[in-house]
């Protein structure tokens, strides 16, 4: 029923969606190239510390005009001063947009265009964040609890993870004096 025709699903808070089709778990090991303090990441991994950073429950569809619906849960935590985040991606099909709806927790949606121009929107319960075509997007949990949000996007959007993996985001969200701040990423574009 989730593959074809109408369906309904329920938001389960920190347990995502039920029913769902796909569950993806991202651990620190999957994000080892992404955090600023790579030395810290390698130290943790070598000690067998491999925390779960985020989970996505998704109902994906195939075919023209369809939407994918996904629920992301980012756990609270930091690597050094840098809050836990999602990998971040451009959509492979650039002229596709996306809508996020905040369910619980608090965080930041960081967006950037191909020239590294940055846009930031805060998200918490009830916030609707619109991500227009052509912007890479990463979600960052700046709170003390899980950040949970819903994503709705065209099923033909696809994901280009490689660009962000290679260049990083131009800005980073870190904690300073107990508060989130945006700083320049000293490693931005390192592989360009
Ligand atoms: C999909 C949408 C979200 C993310 C999810 C995880 O287009 O933006 O469902 O997939 O938040 O982030 P990422 O960067 O690992 O896909
Ligand atoms: Zn997306």
């Amino acid at each position: 029923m989730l593959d074809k025709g109408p369906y309904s699903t329920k938001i389960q808070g920190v347990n995502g969606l039920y029913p769902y089709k796909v569950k993806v778990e991202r651990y620190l090991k999957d994000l080892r190239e992404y955090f600023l303090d790579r030395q810290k990441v390698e130290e943790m991994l070598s000690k067998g510390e491999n925390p779960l950073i985020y989970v996505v429950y998704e109902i994906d569809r195939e075919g023209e005009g369809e939407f994918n619906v996904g629920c992301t849960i980012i756990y609270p935590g930091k690597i050094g001063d840098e809050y836990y985040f999602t990998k971040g991606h451009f959509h492979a099909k650039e002229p596709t947009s996306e809508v996020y709806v905040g369910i619980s927790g608090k965080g930041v949606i960081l967006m950037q265009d191909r020239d590294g121009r940055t846009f930031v929107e805060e998200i918490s319960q009830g916030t609707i964040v619109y991500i227009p075509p052509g912007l890479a997007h990463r979600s960052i949990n700046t709170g003390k609890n899980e950040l949970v949000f819903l994503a709705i996007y065209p099923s033909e959007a696809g994901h280009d993870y490689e660009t962000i993996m290679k260049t990083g985001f131009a800005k980073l969200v870190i904690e300073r004096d107990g508060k989130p701040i945006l700083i320049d990423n000293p490693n931005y574009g390192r592989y360009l």
Side-chain angles (χ1 to χ4, degrees):
M1 98 181 178
L2 297 177
D3 281 319
K4 216 173 171 328
Y7 70 79
S8 56
T9 185
K10 282 250 182 214
I11 297 166
Q12 310 282 330
V14 297
N15 294 314
L17 298 175
Y18 196 83
Y20 63 89
K21 263 175 71 182
V22 189
K23 180 181 176 186
V24 180
E25 294 179 322
R26 299 283 185 214
Y27 289 86
L28 182 61
K29 203 168 173 209
D30 304 309
L31 292 159
R32 70 195 308 166
E33 296 93 355
Y34 287 80
F35 286 100
L36 182 63
D37 193 345
R38 285 201 194 190
Q39 202 181 326
K40 169 100 187 166
V41 172
E42 293 310 318
E43 256 171 46
M44 288 175 69
L45 292 174
S46 69
K47 283 191 275 179
E49 290 173 36
N50 184 25
L52 182 59
I53 310 288
Y54 64 98
V55 183
V56 184
Y57 294 81
E58 194 159 66
I59 301 171
D60 56 336
R61 284 291 188 112
E62 267 176 40
E64 203 184 347
E66 297 272 11
F67 284 123
N68 290 349
V69 174
C71 184
T72 303
I73 298 97
I74 311 178
Y75 293 96
K78 286 176 292 170
I79 301 296
D81 292 331
E82 196 175 18
Y83 296 103
Y84 284 2
F85 53 57
T86 58
K87 288 183 173 186
H89 56 268
F90 285 94
H91 287 163
K93 185 172 176 181
E94 291 251 347
T96 51
S97 52
E98 181 151 6
V99 174
Y100 283 1
V101 182
I103 305 296
S104 65
K106 72 180 199 136
V108 165
I109 311 301
L110 181 62
M111 294 167 266
Q112 78 179 36
D113 65 17
R114 295 260 172 201
D115 299 323
R117 216 149 45 104
T118 302
F119 308 84
V120 180
E121 296 292 340
E122 289 185 8
I123 192 165
S124 60
Q125 186 184 11
T127 311
I128 295 170
V129 177
Y130 178 70
I131 303 165
L135 296 189
H137 38 287
R138 161 176 287 168
S139 317
I140 300 129
N141 184 351
T142 57
K144 300 215 179 319
N145 301 109
E146 288 90 343
L147 171 64
V148 184
F149 64 90
L150 201 68
I152 303 160
Y153 61 106
S155 61
E156 79 268 18
H159 296 97
D160 162 17
Y161 287 104
E162 214 183 322
T163 307
I164 291 300
M165 201 180 82
K166 287 181 174 167
T167 68
F169 276 82
K171 303 282 181 186
L172 303 175
V173 183
I174 65 160
E175 185 181 84
R176 191 165 292 164
D177 302 326
K179 289 200 184 88
I181 59 159
L182 202 63
I183 61 161
D184 288 334
N185 177 3
N187 293 336
Y188 176 58
R190 62 187 179 267
Y191 295 127
L192 282 176

